Structure formats: C-alpha cells, structure tokens
C-alpha cells in the first residue's frame, strides 16, 4: 500500500467519526461542549497520525490508537470516539497481522481483548450489555487479525509462486548453457588428465629410449589403457544416465587420483580429510585434478603437496608444488587450452567458495581454494533472542497496569447478584468456537461437530443469563462461525469427490442446527408470529447464509486451483523446453566428439597395441588438438543444424535438475538390471510417464526408481500426490496402454508402471 492510501483511510475514518459525532448531535439540535470537541479533536489527530504511519510501525500505531481512544472515551459523550475506537483499532490490528509475524499479531489481539475485559470490569463489572459488547469487540478484532493473516499468507504464497516461476523461466534459458559448460568442463578434464598423461608418458619414454628401453612398453600399455578409459569417459559425457552403482567416497577418489599421478613418477604427498558427497567434494576433486595436471605439464617431477581440510565453517583445498628438478623436460608444455584457471575458479564459485593461484616464495606454484564447510551460514532468526519474552512481559504489563482505568473511570452502577451474566456465557461460547476453528484444518469433521453442538448452546446461554438484548444477535454470531468453517472447508477441499458427496449432507445438518437454535431463541423470548412462520424464516435464513458461505468458499477454491494449475502447466512446459534444449546441446557436442576426438583416440589405442610409440604420441597430440578445436567451437557457439530428438531415459538427469531448480527434491534411481539400450518405444514411453508425473506438481520430495526383471521394465514413483487426478491418470493410461503395459495407483502419492520389453521390441521392429 502506498503512502497516498495510508493517509486516505485515516481521513475517511475521521470523516465518518465526524458524521456520527458531533454530526448526529448537531442534526438533533444539540450543541457539543467546547471541551468535548477539543478532546475528540486531539484524539482524532493522534489516531489519524498513528494510522498514517501504521505500515512503518504497526505495533506502535496500534498502541497509540488504543490508548488515545481509551483516554478520549472517558470524558466525552457516548459515541464521540466510537468509529475511531472500533474501525481504527480493527484497521491497526489488520495492519499488524499483515506486516508482522503470527505470534506478534495473536499476542496483540489477546492483549487487547484482555485489556478491554479488565478495563470493563474495573469500571462497571460485566453486565449483559457489556459482556455482549466484549464478545462483539473480540470477534471484530479476531476477524481483523484473521483477515490480515490470510492476506499475508496469500501475499507470501503469490510471492513464492512468482519466485518459482521466475526461477523456472531463468532455468529454462540457463539449462542449455549449463549443460554446454558442464560438457565443456568434462571434455577439458578428459583431455587435460588422460590425454595429457599419455603425451607426457610417451614423451618421457621416447627421451629415455636408449637408457631405459623398458619404459617404452610401459608407456604403450599405459596409452592403450588410458585410450580405452578416454573412450568410456567420452561415452558417459555424450549420454550420461543416472548412477547404476555406488561410487567410491570422495576421500577414496582423491587418494586414487593422487596414486595415479604417482604412477607418472610425480612426487605427491597428501593430507585428505573425509568429505561428504556433494558439490564441495566434486569441486575439491576437480580442483586437485586440474592443479596436479598442470604440475605434470609444466613442472614434471616437482615435489607437490595436496592438502584438503574439512572444517566446520570452511573447507581448505591447497595444492603446492615446488621448483622442478634441474633437467626435467616438460613434455606437456604447450598442450593446455588456456581454460584451466577459468575452470578452477568456476568450480570453486559454483560450490560457493573462492580460489586464488600464484607463485610461491621459493619459485613454485600454489592453488588455494576456500569452499563451504560442515555447517552452512547460521539461519537468520525471525526475532532476536529474548525478544519474544520481552513481548509477553510488555503485554502482561499493559493488561495489568492500574493507572489507565482510574483515569477513565465513569460512574455507572455495577451489576450485583449471584446469577452468572449472559455476557460471561457468551464469551465462553465464543472462545470455544474460536478453538474449534483452529482445529478445522487438522480435523474438519470434529471441528464442525463441535461447532454444531455449540450452536445449540447459545439459546441455553440466553435463557440462563436472562439475556434481554436483540434476540437474533447471539444465534447470528454462532452461525457466523459455522459459515466461516464451511467456507474454509469448501475452499480447501471443495473439488474432491468425497467432499462433494458429503457436502450437501453437512450443509443440511448445519441448516437444521442453526434453524433450531434461532427458533428456540425466538420462541423462548415470546412472539406473536406463528410458530410455523418462525421455523420457516429460520430455515430460510440459515439456508441462505450457509449456502452463500459454501458457494463463496467453492468459488475461491476453484480460483486458487485454477491459478495453481496454470502455474504448474507453465512450469511443465518450461521444464520440457529446457530438457529438449539441453538435450539438443548435448547431442550437438556429442556429434563433434564422434567425428573428431573419438576417431583419433581409437587410432591412438590401435597404434599403442601395435607397439608404435612414436605414432601413439602423435595420435595423442592430434586427439588433444581435436579436443581443443571442439572446445573452441563449443565456446563460440558455432552450431550446425539444430537437433531436437525425443528425450529418453538418459535425459532423466536433466529433468530432475530442472525440477530441483523449482525447489523440489527429486531423486532418480536406476538399478543395474536395466539394459543399457532399451527399445525405443519403451524408452520414450517411460520418459514421458516420468515427465507427466513430475509435471503434475507437488512440493514433497519425489523418487523415481526404474528396474527390469523378466523382460518387464518397472517404474515405481513415490511422492506424487497428484498422480491420482483424473487428467494425470488419463495421460498415463494412454502412454501405457499403447505398449500393452499396466498402471497401478497405490497408496496416496505412489504409482507403479510396467512395460513389456519384448513387445516394445516387436513394435519397434515393425
């Protein structure tokens, strides 16, 4: 709300107060006293100024409005500050609920109601009129607070939805670039670590051929083994699939990496702490591998130290190399692509850390990375420590302070007698209804049953307390709580089949209960209207109120559901587009690998197996050059015809990545019994089933597990609460029935899909 609106509402309240008093008094010919006008003017100024600043200091504005109206109500005529004391306080309570946390809002309402109760008792006890006034005032404050909390929750829900949409849209544009950078980095790692190792080993063996001829055989065997490993690694880069086996721990991977460099005659010492799986471990592994590769290239034989310390607040990764020994030939010099330092910094940055590199004092080189540690940054508290107790102490002090009632006390007769006032009974019934409304979300049937029972007690309270006020007011208050409960239940669950079936029955019971309460109250008071007419009017009024409540709640629920469906549809569309774009980027780079690097790597393996060391080194250099050219092409974005194949199960990792970008935790599991190559029809159908259930929406963590047994592919999904919706079920059934498969919807949020692999092969062959 902008500043103009902040000032407009207080002005309207002051104008309304002026119409009620002194406007009404002037119309009757009564001239207000100058002192009363002065007091009311001061109160209006204080209230207007406080309400104008209510969005900046909502709690302070509420306190000023309450105190000003209480002080002004004492010496002025009845109604002189009525509008400011009711609408003004309700507006301040609403602002507190929208601008502050739930604890503060509820504490303000409870404190305000308790203060007014004690204030009323100190003035004139608790008569029928005063007790009913207190109930009405408390209901007004509760309604204002509830409306404010609802507005705040809806506002935060819209903000969260907007952030998710923006995040998903940004991810839709970012995912292809992320996939390109990921493959670029993995290609660089393959070329830097594996192919460079072949070149360095072959160069060293050629240089020592005359003195140590046995190194040639070792270099050839290493080249052949490394070439086959490069082929496997590039195959994984081309089409990565979900993990089929448990990988070694990050500590074991780092130690194996160091051991591999030691086999290249590199002197490497290491101190490595256990690291948990995740981004920090992956970044540490990549940084150490790149740093050791640079040492093997530019400073072979240099003593190198690898330090990886995993602490509470930070993880230190340090790779320090000394000056290489004299006469050591750098066979890998000039093989780099110039991207190594950039990749190092990007790895550290993506993991949430920083990286620096540079020469040491003794002429060596050091790479130092600082990554996140065991614990994340401390979560910022909603309120400082001790703030909540201070709030409670202040509220109790305001309720019990004796000074204000003595300043505003007025001479009125206090009620006497041993009979319990109707106001006390009304207050207890209203409190019980409030508690039942609080339990509505957790147990709607129990809450509605309690509300129906309490509705029948209001006429009993009227009779027991000798209530003499408006006869329809207490039953109307009871019906208001029931209407609120029915509207909330319809808005939340109105479209569910069970709710649609039991909705008319609940509404009929509510009409019968409240019509009975109204009829009993009217007939007990006595009336000249015939009994059948009282019953008819009561049934008609209750039916109108309860029907309007359910209708309004259903409309609101449908609007919310439609907005959620639109948002989820947009998320699903963007997810599909992002996956297809990333898949096309992967296929484009894979096509370059198939025509350049893989061919030369295969030739390198063939030459190594044939025992030709010179040609093997030459083919390794050619493969490195081809990889460098491919990386340049990827960086510059030179693409051929756009490839948009249908994603298959190999793209599930991209689909899960896109879902995680929207804030949902999705895990893909693939057992080792799933064949490497599935029939095309089965592959596509399984992917689209996974895409359909994930795009159906939901916030809880989801798991997709694929397994194959007895020529049947099984996809088990958990955490899919909307998979049972008719629209989703129809889509899944259409996908499965085309291949002769089966679909089973189990417990809430679970489903199981079975596709025959043999039939998929037959369909593909035909």
């Amino acid at each position: 709300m902008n500043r103009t609106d902040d000032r407009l509402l207080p002005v309207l309240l002051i104008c309304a107060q002026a119409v009620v008093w002194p406007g009404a008094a002037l119309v009757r010919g009564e001239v207000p006293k100058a002192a009363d006008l002065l007091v009311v003017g001061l109160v209006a100024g204080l209230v207007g100024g406080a309400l104008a600043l209510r969005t900046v200091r909502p709690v302070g504005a509420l306190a000023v409005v309450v105190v000003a109206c209480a002080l002004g109500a004492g010496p002025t005529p009845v109604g002189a500050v009525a509008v400011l004391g009711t609408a003004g306080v309700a507006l301040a309570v609403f602002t507190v609920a929208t601008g502050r946390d739930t604890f503060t809002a509820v504490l303000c309402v409870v404190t305000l109601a308790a203060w007014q109760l004690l204030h009323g008792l100190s003035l004139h006890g608790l008569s029928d009129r005063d007790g009913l006034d207190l109930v009405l005032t408390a209901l007004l404050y509760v309604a204002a607070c509830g409306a404010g909390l609802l507005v705040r929750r809806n506002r935060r829900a819209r903000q969260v939805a907007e952030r998710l949409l923006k995040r998903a849209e940004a991810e839709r544009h970012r995912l292809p670039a992320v996939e390109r950078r990921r493959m670029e980095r993995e290609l660089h790692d393959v070329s830097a670590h594996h192919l460079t190792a072949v070149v360095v080993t072959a160069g060293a063996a050629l240089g020592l051929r005359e003195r140590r001829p046995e190194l040639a055989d070792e270099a050839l065997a290493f080249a052949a083994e490394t070439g086959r490993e490069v082929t496997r690694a590039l195959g994984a880069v081309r089409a990565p699939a979900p993990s089929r086996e448990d990988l070694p721990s990050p500590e074991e991977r780092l130690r194996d990496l160091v051991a591999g460099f030691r086999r290249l005659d590199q002197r490497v010492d290491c101190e490595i702490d256990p690291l948990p799986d995740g981004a920090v471990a992956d970044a540490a592994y990549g940084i150490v591998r790149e740093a050791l590769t640079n040492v093997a290239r530019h400073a072979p034989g240099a003593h190198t130290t690898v330090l990886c310390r995993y602490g509470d607040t930070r993880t230190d990764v340090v790779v320090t190399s000394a000056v290489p020994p004299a006469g050591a030939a750098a066979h890998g010099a000039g093989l780099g692509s110039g991207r190594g330092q950039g990749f190092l910094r990007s790895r550290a940055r993506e993991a949430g850390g920083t990286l620096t590199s540079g020469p040491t004092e003794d002429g060596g080189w050091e790479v130092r990375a600082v990554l996140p540690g065991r614990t994340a940054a401390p979560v910022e508290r909603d309120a400082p420590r001790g703030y909540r107790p201070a709030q409670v102490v202040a509220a109790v002090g305001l309720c019990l302070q004796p000074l204000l009632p003595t300043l505003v006390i007025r001479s009125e007769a206090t009620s006497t007698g041993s009979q319990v006032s109707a106001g006390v009974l009304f207050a207890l019934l209203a409190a019980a209804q409030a508690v039942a409304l609080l339990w509505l979300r957790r147990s709607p049937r129990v809450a509605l049953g309690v509300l129906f029972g309490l509705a029948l007690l209001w006429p009993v309270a009227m009779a027991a307390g000798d209530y003499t006020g408006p006869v329809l007011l207490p039953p109307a208050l009871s019906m208001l709580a029931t209407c609120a409960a029915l509207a909330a239940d319809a808005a939340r669950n109105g479209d569910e089949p069970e709710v649609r079936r039991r909705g008319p029955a609940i509404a009929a019971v509510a009409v019968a209960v409240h019509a009975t309460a109204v009829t009993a109250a009217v007939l007990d008071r006595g009336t000249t209207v015939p009994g059948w007419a009282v019953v008819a009017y009561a049934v008609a009024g209750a039916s109108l109120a309860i029907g309007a409540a359910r209708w309004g709640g259903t409309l609101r629920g449908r609007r919310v559901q439609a907005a959620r469906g639109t948002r989820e549809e947009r998320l699903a569309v963007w997810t599909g587009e992002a996956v297809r774009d990333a898949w096309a980027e992967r296929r484009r780079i894979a096509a370059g690998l198939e025509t350049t690097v893989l061919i030369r790597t295969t030739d390198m393996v063939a030459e190594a197996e044939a025992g030709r060391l010179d040609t093997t080194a030459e083919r390794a250099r050619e493969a490195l050059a081809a990889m460098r050219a491919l990386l340049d092409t990827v960086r510059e974005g030179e693409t051929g015809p756009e490839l948009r194949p249908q994603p298959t199960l190999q793209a599930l990792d991209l689909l899960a990545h896109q879902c995680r970008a929207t804030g949902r935790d999705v895990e893909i599991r693939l057992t080792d019994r799933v064949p490497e190559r599935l029939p095309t029809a089965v592959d596509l159908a399984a992917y689209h089933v996974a895409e359909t259930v994930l795009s159906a929406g939901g916030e809880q963590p989801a798991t997709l597990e694929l397994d194959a047994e007895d020529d049947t592919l099984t996809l088990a999904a958990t955490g899919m609460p909307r998979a049972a919706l008719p629209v989703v079920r129809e889509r899944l059934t259409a996908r499965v029935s085309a291949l002769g498969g089966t679909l089973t919807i189990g417990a809430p949020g679970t489903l199981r899909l079975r596709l025959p692999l043999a039939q998929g092969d037959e369909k593909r062959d035909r």
Side-chain angles (χ1 to χ4, degrees), residues 87-98:
V89 174
L91 179 59
V93 169
F94 176 83
T95 306
V96 171
T98 56

Side-chain angles (χ1 to χ4, degrees), residues 17-33 36 76-80:
Q17 180 60 71
V19 171
V20 173
W21 192 94
L26 292 174
V27 171
R28 294 193 301 267
E30 300 175 1
V31 180
K33 298 180 180 179
D36 294 339
T76 57
V78 177

Side-chain angles (χ1 to χ4, degrees), residues 223-224 228 600-612 616:
R228 287 188 288 269
R600 288 166 174 79
T601 304
T602 304
D603 293 342
M604 181 191 73
V605 174
E607 296 293 338
E609 291 176 347
R612 293 186 283 269
T616 299

Side-chain angles (χ1 to χ4, degrees), residues 184-512:
E184 180 185 4
R185 187 167 60 195
E186 292 188 14
L187 293 176
H188 172 269
D189 291 342
V190 170
S191 65
H193 181 55
H194 296 81
L195 295 178
T196 299
V198 174
V199 174
V200 171
T201 304
L206 288 173
L208 299 174
R209 176 183 296 177
E210 297 180 357
R211 289 182 296 172
R212 299 183 61 184
E214 72 277 3
L215 292 180
D217 294 336
E218 296 179 3
L220 289 172
F222 178 77
E225 180 183 357
T226 304
R228 287 188 288 269
E229 186 177 351
V230 167
T231 303
R232 290 192 298 269
L234 293 180
V237 171
R238 284 185 297 161
S243 176
R244 295 173 178 269
E245 58 183 359
D246 294 333
L247 296 175
S249 66
E251 181 185 5
E252 294 175 352
R253 293 175 60 200
L254 284 171
R255 294 190 181 278
D256 291 342
L257 178 66
V258 171
F261 276 94
R262 287 172 179 167
R263 288 194 295 268
L264 298 177
D265 292 333
Q266 293 292 124
R267 295 186 298 161
V268 183
D269 296 332
C270 63
E271 295 182 19
I272 300 173
D273 292 343
L275 293 173
D277 289 321
V280 173
D282 293 340
Y285 182 85
I287 290 169
V288 172
R289 181 171 61 179
E290 178 68 23
L292 291 179
T293 301
N294 288 336
V295 173
R297 279 179 179 169
H298 305 290
H303 183 266
T304 307
T305 301
V306 176
L307 176 65
C308 182
R309 290 289 173 81
Y310 183 56
D312 291 334
T313 59
R314 56 186 283 175
T315 300
D316 292 308
V317 180
V318 183
V319 180
T320 307
S321 61
V323 179
H331 299 285
L335 297 177
S337 61
R339 297 183 176 87
Q341 296 299 317
F343 284 135
L344 285 174
R345 292 185 175 86
S346 67
R347 284 186 183 278
R349 184 170 56 252
E350 290 176 5
T354 59
L355 182 139
T356 57
S357 61
T360 60
E361 295 180 356
D362 58 358
W365 193 265
E366 182 179 83
V367 175
R368 180 179 295 272
V370 179
L371 305 176
R374 185 174 293 105
T375 58
V379 179
E380 184 178 357
R381 293 178 177 269
D382 293 336
R385 186 182 300 274
Y387 184 69
R388 298 299 187 207
Q391 284 183 307
V392 174
V393 170
V396 173
L398 289 175
C399 291
L400 300 180
Q401 54 86 25
L403 189 59
L404 187 59
T406 60
L407 295 176
V408 299
I409 193 169
R410 296 188 301 189
S411 58
E412 289 188 8
T414 58
S415 59
T416 59
S418 59
Q419 186 178 12
V420 179
S421 171
V424 175
L425 300 177
F426 294 160
L428 293 176
L429 289 175
Q433 287 180 329
V435 173
L437 289 175
L438 292 176
W439 277 85
L440 181 65
R441 180 181 293 271
R442 179 174 299 181
S443 181
R445 294 184 179 180
V446 175
L448 288 175
V450 172
L451 289 175
F452 293 160
L454 293 174
L456 298 175
L457 295 179
W458 281 80
V460 178
M462 295 171 61
D466 292 335
Y467 173 71
T468 58
V471 67
L472 294 179
L473 185 56
L477 295 177
S478 176
M479 191 181 302
L480 180 63
T482 302
C483 290
L486 293 176
D489 185 61
R492 187 165 52 253
N493 307 310
D495 287 335
E496 294 185 1
E498 182 182 357
V499 176
R500 287 199 299 266
R501 287 193 300 269
R502 63 180 174 84
I506 294 178
V509 173
V511 170

Side-chain angles (χ1 to χ4, degrees), residues 551-635:
W551 178 72
T554 303
L555 287 183
R556 174 175 174 77
R558 289 176 179 174
R559 286 197 300 268
V560 173
Q561 186 67 26
R564 184 184 297 114
T566 302
R567 183 174 67 253
E568 292 172 354
E569 183 178 358
R570 291 169 64 186
L571 286 173
V573 171
W574 289 345
T575 298
E577 292 180 358
V579 170
R580 285 192 295 270
D581 292 343
W583 184 266
E585 190 66 27
R586 174 185 293 176
R587 288 297 301 269
R588 179 180 68 81
I589 299 174
L593 283 173
E594 293 169 357
T595 58
T596 57
V597 182
L598 282 175
I599 294 177
R600 288 166 174 79
T601 304
T602 304
D603 293 342
M604 181 191 73
V605 174
E607 296 293 338
E609 291 176 347
R612 293 186 283 269
L613 185 59
D614 295 342
T615 311
T616 299
E618 183 179 352
R619 294 293 178 268
R621 289 180 177 273
E622 290 177 358
L624 270 177
M627 183 76 77
R628 186 184 304 170
L630 177 61
L631 290 174
D632 291 337
T633 302
V634 173
R635 175 64 60 88

Side-chain angles (χ1 to χ4, degrees), residues 31-180:
V31 180
K33 298 180 180 179
D36 294 339
L37 291 174
L38 177 60
V39 171
V40 173
L42 293 175
V43 172
L46 289 173
V47 172
L51 292 178
L53 300 174
R54 67 188 184 278
T55 56
V56 181
R57 293 288 186 270
V59 178
L62 174 63
V64 171
V65 171
V66 172
V67 173
C69 293
L71 291 174
T76 57
V78 177
V81 293
V83 176
L84 298 177
T86 54
V89 174
L91 179 59
V93 169
F94 176 83
T95 306
V96 171
T98 56
R100 291 293 181 265
D101 56 279
T102 304
F103 180 86
T104 302
V106 174
L107 182 63
C108 287
V109 172
V110 172
T111 302
L112 187 59
W115 182 87
Q116 289 198 347
L117 173 63
L118 297 177
H119 175 61
L121 290 175
S122 65
L123 292 179
H124 40 66
L126 190 63
S127 63
D128 294 345
R129 178 181 61 81
D130 297 314
L132 186 58
D133 289 344
L134 177 62
V135 172
L136 293 175
T137 304
L139 288 177
L140 175 64
Y141 297 157
V142 170
C145 181
L149 293 177
L150 180 62
V151 168
R152 182 166 66 92
R153 188 181 67 180
N154 293 338
R155 183 186 300 165
R156 295 178 66 177
R158 286 195 302 268
Q159 292 174 352
V160 170
E162 291 174 358
R163 284 196 299 269
L164 284 178
L165 289 177
K166 290 180 180 179
R167 187 176 179 181
E169 185 175 10
E171 191 71 12
R172 176 169 64 102
H173 299 294
R174 192 181 71 90
L175 189 56
V178 170
E179 185 66 14
R180 182 173 63 252

